Amino acid sequence: MTIPESVGVIGGGTMGAGIAHVLLTVGAARVAVVESDDQRADAARSAVGTSLQGAADRGKLPEGESVDSLLGRTTFLVGPGELPTDAGLVVEAVPEKIDLKQQILGEVARRCPDAVLASNTSSLSIAAIGAELPADRVIGMHFFNPVPAQKLVELIRTPQTADAVVEQARQWVGDLGKTPIVVDDSPGFATSRLGLVVGLEAIRMVEEGVATAEDIDTGMELGYRWPMGPLRLTDVVGLDVRLAIAEHLATELGDRFAPPQLLRDKVERGELGRKSGQGFHTW
């Protein structure tokens, strides 16, 4: 195993809890999950525990391990200033706000001098996030939701990212039982850019009355062998998240990424997808 013995995950929401889950189940000796306050730290503990329990129920935990033993190797902290200084990898999975990511990874860089500094962003520039950081240690590690089940991790390198860091990240992704792809830092990278194009066009088709959300999704699932249709996937990702990505890419790449009004309207009404119970489908 090449996974560092000490790993940090910043943010214990859906993505952070999933990342912590996979790190624990492949043998990381210690995982520290960092949140912004005690209440969120408690929620992160519950989320990681629930994720691990689901794996236990399916017989997917490593032999000889239990939910309690894995949680026993996990600490839930408030603030990056509590991270172990010997962390070899720290992955931030906080909301898609570049100033927040810059601030947090700046604190991590000072606290953990040898750690690879990874961002789980799905669209923001890795170079911009790492502008004031030790740039050779900065890389994008874009996991997919749900993290324990999804096999892909998109690695994003900048011109300053050290080759050794890219290679180490490839090995770590393999150790996690996943497949890496490596892309250069550019707006939306590869997967978000392509996935968003299809997702936005599917929303426009609903808006124009071309077909129902259910039929569009069924068409892509059966006709193109997508495991999940673009509108159901939008619900899983979160309509608010997809809107934020679309707005960012529209600014960077032009009007072809402009969000449809239907997407804006649904977000305004609080129809955010699976997390709110209603999006393009009812959950």
Side-chain angles (χ1 to χ4, degrees):
M1 283 292 178
T2 62
I3 295 291
E5 288 195 0
S6 178
V7 180
V9 178
I10 314 294
T14 300
M15 295 302 294
I19 294 167
H21 172 142
V22 297
L23 288 165
L24 287 164
T25 54
V26 299
R30 292 172 287 131
V31 176
V33 180
V34 177
E35 262 296 355
S36 57
D37 56 43
D38 288 330
Q39 183 176 2
R40 291 180 181 274
D42 288 343
R45 183 189 301 274
S46 177
V48 174
T50 298
S51 183
L52 292 172
Q53 186 60 57
D57 293 343
R58 297 189 300 274
K60 297 295 186 180
L61 292 187
E63 186 176 353
E65 295 281 14
S66 66
V67 173
D68 287 343
S69 70
L70 294 173
L71 286 176
R73 301 208 305 271
T74 315
T75 54
F76 296 87
L77 309 172
V78 175
E82 299 299 314
L83 277 169
T85 58
D86 64 344
L89 167 66
V90 178
V91 183
E92 69 79 10
V94 302
E96 294 283 82
K97 299 177 181 178
I98 193 165
D99 55 344
L100 177 61
K101 293 177 183 289
Q102 289 170 332
Q103 173 194 336
I104 286 173
L105 286 178
E107 294 181 52
V108 172
R110 292 187 291 273
R111 176 74 177 174
C112 307
D114 298 320
V116 170
L117 307 171
S119 174
N120 183 56
T121 181
S122 57
S123 65
L124 298 178
S125 166
I126 301 301
I129 290 171
E132 301 298 324
L133 301 175
D136 60 321
R137 293 199 274 146
V138 177
I139 191 168
M141 292 185 75
H142 178 203
F143 291 83
F144 291 75
N145 186 33
V147 178
Q150 294 278 32
K151 295 298 185 184
L152 178 68
V153 177
E154 185 177 35
L155 299 176
I156 304 98
R157 67 179 305 160
T158 75
Q160 292 75 39
T161 307
D163 290 342
V165 168
V166 177
E167 185 54 36
Q168 186 66 82
R170 282 181 183 270
Q171 292 182 33
W172 289 339
V173 170
D175 290 342
L176 293 174
K178 301 183 184 302
T179 299
I181 62 171
V182 179
V183 303
D184 286 339
D185 190 26
S186 61
F189 317 134
T191 56
S192 292
R193 189 164 165 177
L194 287 170
L196 187 65
V197 167
V198 177
L200 293 179
E201 189 60 28
I203 294 170
R204 293 188 189 100
M205 291 168 67
V206 174
E207 190 173 55
E208 295 166 6
V210 173
T212 65
E214 188 68 42
D215 283 349
I216 291 169
D217 280 347
T218 300
M220 294 305 293
E221 290 163 10
L222 300 183
Y224 287 82
R225 296 191 177 183
W226 281 38
M228 180 183 297
L231 295 165
R232 193 173 298 278
L233 179 59
T234 296
D235 279 3
V236 171
V237 170
L239 275 68
D240 52 339
V241 174
R242 183 138 280 186
L243 174 60
I245 295 171
E247 290 175 332
H248 172 68
L249 292 187
T251 299
E252 295 289 331
L253 297 172
D255 288 344
R256 68 186 186 274
F257 289 99
Q261 188 59 44
L262 177 58
L263 178 58
R264 295 188 184 278
D265 291 345
K266 281 183 168 290
V267 172
E268 180 67 24
R269 293 196 296 267
E271 297 176 11
L272 306 182
R274 183 170 64 179
K275 61 188 171 187
S276 70
Q278 181 62 48
F280 288 97
H281 300 273
T282 299
W283 295 81

